Amino acid sequence: MADHRGAFAGKRVLISGGAGFIGSHLARTLVDLGADVTLVDSLIPEYGGNLFNLDGFESHVRMNIADVRDEHGMKYLVKSHEIFFNLAGQTSHLDSMSDPYSDLDINCRAQLSMLEACRKENPSIRIVFASTRQLYGAARYLPVDERHPLQPVDVNGINKMAGEWYHILYSRVYGIPIAALRLTNTYGPGMRVKDARQTFLGVWIRRLLEGEPIEVWGDGEQLRDFTFVGDAVDAFLRAAASSRSFGRVFNLGGDEPISLAALARLLVELAGAGEIRIVPFPAERRAIDIGDYYADYSAIRETLGWAPEVSLREGLTRTLEFYRRHGARYWP
């Protein structure tokens, strides 16, 4: 798969969630690879789109401000594209519990309507769907591979599971070339940092740079793995470029698991200053916490040749530097 990046020159590519964190990085890479890129994003404040993520290359992409729940709009968009990276979704676990119907609309109904549009209008379109490790719930064994039982602990996980299964079903029944990637904690420049709707790590980075203490919930010994955004983008490209991915689900992961307390200490070290507080779990968070998690990503490594290349230390260094320069664009 060493030549997978050459597969996108001249291709017409659609990215939903294109002004978001991962989508914008994917768009930049695809433009560099010679693709003709169209982005669709609702820019609803709660869902992560930020036009500054497109800073400096706005003229190289087409931007459609639209909601994936708009069936007619999405039907029109999927007609004319060869590759569709489907990254749009509601990612907040707490929001899914307080407003389950919006989560259902975005992560289930909208996914199904997009697939129906592809089936009817463009069944040869290649699709890579952004799924999540949240489907696994609390790990029964570690590392977690794709055979692990699916037991989501919140509404978001259940709806994302259904969205993923719709994609795989449409691949297997209708022959649409589709792959799904179960993302773990993806981080890097452009991640949402003003709140915890995408990841706690963003909030930690903002608090650290504002001189506020990092709050580590529980005992801090929970294990997690992390994927740098550039490595995640490479996984999406590999999945789209190879027919070996179609009809399959793959875990992404990180170079090594780390406890949350150790992660907080590493951030403080890299930032050169900071305070860490170990505090009790908020009740609403404890109810949906999954405990330890880290992935076995051997399936995508063996099938598509993917493995993370950016170490956690290097990735966090790049991320801190980005927000030192551009933090005002990402939080009030």
Side-chain angles (χ1 to χ4, degrees):
M1 290 295 295
D3 62 347
H4 66 283
R5 289 179 172 244
F8 299 95
K11 296 294 186 182
R12 300 183 305 278
V13 179
L14 178 66
I15 306 174
S16 65
F21 167 41
I22 301 174
S24 60
H25 278 272
L26 183 57
R28 288 178 183 272
T29 302
L30 286 163
V31 166
D32 289 342
L33 296 176
D36 180 3
V37 179
T38 298
L39 310 180
V40 57
D41 201 297
S42 66
L43 296 178
I44 296 172
E46 290 80 9
Y47 298 153
N50 185 332
L51 287 176
F52 188 73
N53 287 335
L54 310 179
D55 184 58
F57 81 119
E58 303 96 324
S59 62
H60 299 289
V61 298
R62 282 181 296 277
M63 179 68 194
N64 282 267
I65 300 176
D67 196 310
V68 294
R69 290 171 286 188
D70 177 0
E71 296 182 28
H72 297 293
M74 291 307 300
K75 182 178 178 179
Y76 170 78
L77 285 169
V78 302
K79 276 185 180 181
S80 57
H81 291 88
E82 298 166 275
I83 302 170
F84 177 22
F85 292 100
N86 186 7
L87 279 68
Q90 197 293 109
T91 61
S92 171
H93 307 299
L94 283 183
D95 285 358
S96 79
M97 301 300 287
S98 61
D99 184 9
Y101 295 112
S102 291
D103 193 277
L104 180 70
D105 282 345
I106 297 169
N107 290 328
C108 285
R109 192 182 190 328
Q111 304 303 320
L112 189 56
S113 67
M114 284 188 284
L115 289 166
E116 275 291 278
C118 292
R119 179 178 72 86
K120 294 174 181 178
E121 305 293 338
N122 190 1
S124 65
I125 192 171
R126 294 187 172 202
I127 303 173
V128 184
F129 174 66
S131 187
T132 172
R133 54 94 174 158
Q134 196 71 12
L135 276 58
Y136 295 118
R140 295 186 183 181
Y141 57 83
L142 294 167
V144 173
D145 59 22
E146 293 84 353
R147 294 181 297 275
H148 188 284
L150 303 183
Q151 45 194 12
V153 298
D154 56 30
V155 169
N156 180 258
I158 292 171
N159 290 333
K160 288 291 287 187
M161 180 172 66
E164 178 192 283
W165 286 9
Y166 287 144
H167 281 77
I168 298 306
L169 176 73
Y170 272 62
S171 182
R172 293 175 179 172
V173 173
Y174 299 118
I176 303 173
I178 301 175
L181 303 181
R182 290 177 180 162
L183 308 182
T184 186
N185 295 289
T186 308
Y187 73 100
M191 68 193 295
R192 188 181 180 100
V193 295
K194 65 182 180 180
D195 56 38
R197 280 190 164 93
Q198 284 185 344
T199 172
F200 68 89
L201 183 55
V203 175
W204 282 11
I205 288 170
R206 175 178 60 80
R207 292 178 66 88
L208 192 63
L209 295 180
E210 289 185 324
E212 298 179 6
I214 293 174
E215 291 188 350
V216 180
W217 297 335
D219 61 8
E221 295 307 308
Q222 308 97 309
L223 296 174
R224 292 289 189 274
D225 58 353
F226 296 84
T227 306
F228 186 67
V229 63
D231 288 331
V233 164
D234 187 57
F236 277 97
L237 297 178
R238 288 174 183 267
S242 175
S243 61
R244 297 184 69 196
S245 71
F246 300 153
R248 296 191 60 183
V249 172
F250 297 101
N251 285 344
L252 300 192
D255 53 354
E256 59 185 28
I258 185 172
S259 74
L260 298 189
L263 175 65
R265 291 193 295 270
L266 177 58
L267 267 177
V268 169
E269 174 195 336
L270 295 174
E275 179 187 353
I276 301 167
R277 292 180 182 171
I278 306 295
V279 300
F281 255 108
E284 70 275 12
R285 289 285 184 177
R286 179 182 292 279
I288 59 174
D289 182 61
I290 62 168
D292 294 343
Y293 176 88
Y294 52 95
D296 176 348
Y297 59 84
S298 59
I300 193 171
R301 182 183 63 223
E302 293 165 4
T303 305
L304 303 179
W306 180 86
E309 295 185 356
V310 178
S311 70
L312 185 59
R313 176 177 286 271
E314 173 61 24
L316 291 174
T317 299
R318 295 187 202 177
T319 304
L320 284 165
E321 177 56 30
F322 177 84
Y323 286 107
R324 283 194 178 100
R325 290 185 285 118
H326 302 298
R329 301 283 192 164
Y330 291 88
W331 69 83

